């Protein structure tokens, strides 16, 4: 009995315990389920918040995409390495002018001139480009610009023969020096190109057309067509100047109160001869009466000074130049031009001009070079006006003719026979030093009874190349004017020694 009772008691106790444990586990499970449900509800809220954030982020991204589309549709500006190239120049020059005029009055004093250019080249396509260049030239205390065509020399000297051109349009501080459109590969021919607009024009040795770099430059409005092949080049052009002539009674403009002088021309270069180039050209100047082409065209004789009519005339010429294997190199150039034409009143135009140059470089190491140059240009003889200079470059930044006929611009390039010689060498990689000597006389007498000699000029100069973009220059000129030189300068020089000293800094970028 006892054993059964004990067994029954144990079974009863086990059942009661199991039931209690089951009830306790169910309560704990319910609690855990409630906690899990609360956690799920919290996660649902977090998911809802996350969805809202994602929607907002998607909206921002959509707006960014829309903005990008608008920017893509707008005009873009590329870097200088791609479509736009910027160019520029800063040039500052100071002068010390020492001397007296023919009346004994002093000219002593300092002067300065500056030139600033900013330009950009835009390449629209492989064969189409456009260029625009602004220029400001100024001196301290003055705000004068040149004309579109050419400007007065930036020199302390102001003699009549030193004037390469005078302003002929309104004087401003800033002007459009160049603005042209160029198209190459015309009609599918890579040799054929066109340039239209305001542009510099440079040919050959710059005896007829140069860029007048020493001054404020020369640019024309016009169009040129070039055919450039392996054996020859041919250029045809029509150029217009900004000159407004006085006493222009024979032609009236189609609009406005102005006229434009015109230059037509052909320029041919033969390149098929080894070490020799042959140039041939024809120019026609339609000047509509009035002043000479530039200030140096004055015939320099009584009653026929600047302002004499130089109406319609042709210039035909040729140039031969090349290199010979002598020493470290011999270079030579010979150019001749003849002019003929008519004016409203006699005399007419019929004159010859010849320029020749030869130079020898003796050393490749220091580039020591000696050279001599000669100019002959007929003056007026009573029947003809004499040679009319076009747009020669009297100075350059190349060693071939840094100063063509003297830094002081004392000698004219018409009614003249002049000889110039010089030497220059590089004492080091960054330096060039040189000296020039010029003598000249009038081809036709300027006045009866006076010496026909213009006089002498001695120049010394040096250049220091600080970097590829920056150079410093210094020079000095001593002018010894004779009787014809005093007269030709308009009395600016006396018959004693006159000095000009100049300093220059020039930066390109």
């Amino acid at each position: 009995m006892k054993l059964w009772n004990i067994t029954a008691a144990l079974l009863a106790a086990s059942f009661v315990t199991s039931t209690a444990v089951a009830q306790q586990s169910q309560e704990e499970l319910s609690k855990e389920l409630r906690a899990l449900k609360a956690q799920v509800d919290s996660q649902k809220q977090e998911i809802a918040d996350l969805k809202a954030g994602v929607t907002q982020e998607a909206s921002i991204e959509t707006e960014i995409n829309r903005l990008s589309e608008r920017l893509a549709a707008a005009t873009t500006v590329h870097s200088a390495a791609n479509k736009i190239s910027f160019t520029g120049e800063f040039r500052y020059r100071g002068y010390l002018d020492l001397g007296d005029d023919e009346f004994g009055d002093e000219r002593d004093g300092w002067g300065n001139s500056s030139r600033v250019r900013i330009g950009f080249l835009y390449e629209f396509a492989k064969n189409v480009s456009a260029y625009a260049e602004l220029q400001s030239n100024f001196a301290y205390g003055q705000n004068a610009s040149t004309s579109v065509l050419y400007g007065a020399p930036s020199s302390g000297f102001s003699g009549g023969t030193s004037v390469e051109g005078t302003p002929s349009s309104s004087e401003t501080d800033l002007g459009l020096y160049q603005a042209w459109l160029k198209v190459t590969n015309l009609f599918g021919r890579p040799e054929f190109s066109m340039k239209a607009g305001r542009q510099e024009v440079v040919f050959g040795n710059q005896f007829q057309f140069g860029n007048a770099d020493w001054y404020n430059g020369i640019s024309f409005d016009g169009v040129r067509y070039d055919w450039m092949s392996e054996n020859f080049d041919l250029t045809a052009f029509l150029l217009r100047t900004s000159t407004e002539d006085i006493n222009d009674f024979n032609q009236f403009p189609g609009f406005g109160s102005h006229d434009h002088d015109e230059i037509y021309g052909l320029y041919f270069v033969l390149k098929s001869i080894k070490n020799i180039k042959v140039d041939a050209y024809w120019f026609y100047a339609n000047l509509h009466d009035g002043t000479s082409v530039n200030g140096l065209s004055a015939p320099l004789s009584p009653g026929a000074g600047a302002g004499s009519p130089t109406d319609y005339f042709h210039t035909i010429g040729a140039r031969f130049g090349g290199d010979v294997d002598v020493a470290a190199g011999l270079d030579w150039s010979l150019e001749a031009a003849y002019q003929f034409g008519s004016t409203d009143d006699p005399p007419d135009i019929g004159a010859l001009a010849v320029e020749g140059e030869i130079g020898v470089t003796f050393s490749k190491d220091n580039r020591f070079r000696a050279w001599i140059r000669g100019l002959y240009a007929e003056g007026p003889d009573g029947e003809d006006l004499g040679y009319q200079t076009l747009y020669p470059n009297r100075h350059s930044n190349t060693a071939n003719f840094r100063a063509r006929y003297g830094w002081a611009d004392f000698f004219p390039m018409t009614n003249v026979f002049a000889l110039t010689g010089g030497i220059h060498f590089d004492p080091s990689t960054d330096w060039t030093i040189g000296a020039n000597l010029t003598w000249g006389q009038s081809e036709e007498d300027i006045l009866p009874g006076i010496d026909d000699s213009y006089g002498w000029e001695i120049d010394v100069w040096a250049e220091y190349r600080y970097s590829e973009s920056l150079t410093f220059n210094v020079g000095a000129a001593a002018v010894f004017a004779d009787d014809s030189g005093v007269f030709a300068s308009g009395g600016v020089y006396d018959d004693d020694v006159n000095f000009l000293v100049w300093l220059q800094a020039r930066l390109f970028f």
Side-chain angles (χ1 to χ4, degrees):
M1 284 296 291
K2 282 186 177 181
L3 181 59
W4 172 252
N5 291 335
I6 292 171
T7 302
L10 289 174
L11 291 172
S14 177
F15 176 77
V16 171
T17 303
S18 299
T19 302
V21 171
Q23 291 177 350
Q24 184 180 5
S25 299
Q26 186 175 4
E27 291 178 359
E28 290 177 355
L29 182 59
S30 298
K31 184 185 295 185
E32 289 177 359
L33 288 174
R34 288 194 297 269
L36 182 60
K37 182 179 180 181
Q39 185 178 357
V40 170
D41 293 338
S42 176
Q43 290 178 352
K44 286 182 178 180
Q45 184 62 41
E46 291 179 1
I47 293 173
D49 295 340
L50 183 61
K51 287 183 177 180
V54 170
T55 303
Q56 183 179 8
E57 184 177 354
S59 177
I60 295 175
E61 184 179 359
T62 300
E63 290 301 322
I64 292 175
N65 291 337
R66 290 175 180 174
L67 179 60
S68 300
E69 291 174 357
R70 291 196 297 268
L71 292 176
T75 301
T76 59
V77 178
H78 297 268
S79 68
N82 292 316
K83 294 297 183 181
I84 297 180
S85 300
F86 290 93
T87 64
E89 174 196 0
F90 292 92
R91 189 185 72 189
Y92 303 94
R93 189 185 301 149
Y95 306 90
L96 174 62
D97 190 4
L98 300 173
D100 299 335
D101 62 23
E102 66 172 330
F103 305 106
D105 297 327
E106 288 188 353
R107 292 192 321 275
D108 301 354
W110 283 96
N112 75 286
S113 66
S114 302
R115 187 175 82 185
V116 178
R117 288 177 175 174
I118 300 293
F120 67 90
L121 175 67
Y122 192 95
E123 298 180 65
F124 294 95
K126 181 180 179 180
N127 299 314
V128 180
S129 60
Y131 183 72
E133 185 174 39
L134 300 176
Q135 173 175 286
S136 176
N137 52 278
F138 52 91
Y140 187 75
Q142 299 177 354
N143 291 316
S145 177
T146 65
S147 69
V148 173
L149 176 56
Y150 43 75
S154 303
S155 169
F157 284 15
S158 57
T161 59
S162 70
V163 178
E164 176 152 308
T166 54
S168 58
S169 65
S170 299
E171 294 183 344
T172 58
D173 294 338
L174 185 66
L176 188 63
Y177 179 65
Q178 292 195 85
W180 48 257
L181 168 67
K182 184 176 182 179
V183 181
T184 61
N185 198 35
L186 280 175
F187 306 112
R189 298 304 304 248
E191 306 92 342
F192 196 24
S193 66
M194 178 204 73
K195 183 189 286 187
R198 185 163 300 173
Q199 56 190 285
E200 290 184 339
V201 178
V202 176
F203 291 122
N205 205 31
Q206 303 190 44
F207 184 58
Q208 300 293 350
F209 281 84
N211 61 5
D213 181 69
W214 176 258
Y215 310 104
N216 297 320
I218 297 177
S219 60
F220 304 85
D221 283 350
V223 60
R224 59 180 290 173
Y225 296 91
D226 294 277
W227 183 281
M228 295 187 176
S229 64
E230 183 178 353
N231 295 322
F232 71 91
D233 298 339
L234 177 62
T235 301
F237 63 84
L238 164 61
L239 305 175
R240 309 198 77 177
T241 74
S242 64
T243 303
E244 181 177 353
D245 295 328
I246 58 175
N247 303 322
D248 188 9
F249 302 121
N250 60 336
Q251 293 195 25
F252 293 92
F255 57 91
S257 58
H258 67 279
D259 73 275
H260 289 281
D261 295 344
E262 301 167 348
I263 308 290
Y264 307 85
L266 294 171
Y267 200 96
F268 174 81
V269 180
L270 180 64
K271 302 183 293 185
S272 58
I273 305 175
K274 185 179 180 180
N275 297 327
I276 296 178
K277 280 190 176 182
V278 180
D279 300 3
Y281 52 82
W282 162 79
F283 309 129
Y284 175 66
N286 182 353
L287 301 185
H288 297 182
D289 199 5
T291 59
S292 55
V293 179
N294 66 27
L296 294 174
S297 296
L300 300 178
S301 65
S308 298
T310 56
D311 294 338
Y312 318 106
F313 63 92
H314 301 262
T315 302
I316 56 174
R319 172 181 174 266
F320 302 86
D323 300 291
V324 180
D325 189 13
V326 174
L330 183 150
D331 55 275
W332 61 278
S333 175
L334 179 63
E335 185 164 355
Y338 181 75
Q339 293 178 334
F340 58 94
S342 62
T343 66
D344 288 344
D345 302 305
D348 289 333
I349 298 173
L352 174 69
V354 180
E355 182 186 64
E357 176 185 344
I358 186 170
V360 179
T361 301
F362 294 95
S363 172
K364 292 182 179 180
D365 296 330
N366 59 18
R367 298 196 300 174
F368 185 92
R369 180 176 182 264
W371 56 273
I372 186 170
R373 180 185 301 115
L375 169 66
Y376 169 82
E378 285 188 289
D381 59 6
E383 296 180 359
D384 296 311
L385 281 178
Y387 180 73
Q388 305 295 309
T389 57
L390 290 174
Y391 308 97
N393 192 359
R394 295 175 60 85
H395 302 278
S396 175
N397 284 311
T398 66
N400 291 334
F401 53 94
R402 290 176 182 268
R404 198 169 202 138
Y405 295 104
W407 288 116
D409 292 327
F410 174 58
F411 297 92
M413 293 185 69
T414 183
N415 191 19
V416 64
F417 174 66
L419 291 174
T420 303
I423 59 172
H424 58 80
F425 66 98
D426 295 353
S428 66
T429 304
D430 301 327
W431 282 88
T432 301
I433 298 174
N436 310 327
L437 175 65
T438 304
W439 165 85
Q441 69 176 31
S442 61
E443 193 273 330
E444 294 286 344
D445 290 340
I446 294 180
L447 284 175
I450 70 169
D451 189 356
D452 61 359
S453 174
Y454 290 122
W456 296 81
E457 179 179 335
I458 301 173
D459 304 323
V460 293
W461 52 270
E463 177 181 271
Y464 170 56
R465 292 172 289 278
Y466 178 84
S467 67
E468 293 183 357
S469 301
L470 177 62
T471 60
F472 296 96
N473 304 80
V474 60
V479 175
F480 304 86
D482 289 333
D483 291 347
S484 291
V486 173
F487 179 85
S489 71
V492 171
Y493 303 103
D494 62 7
D495 56 3
D496 202 350
V497 62
N498 300 264
F499 294 98
L500 173 67
V501 181
W502 56 273
L503 300 168
Q504 175 179 283
R506 191 175 193 182
L507 174 68
F508 285 101
F509 62 89

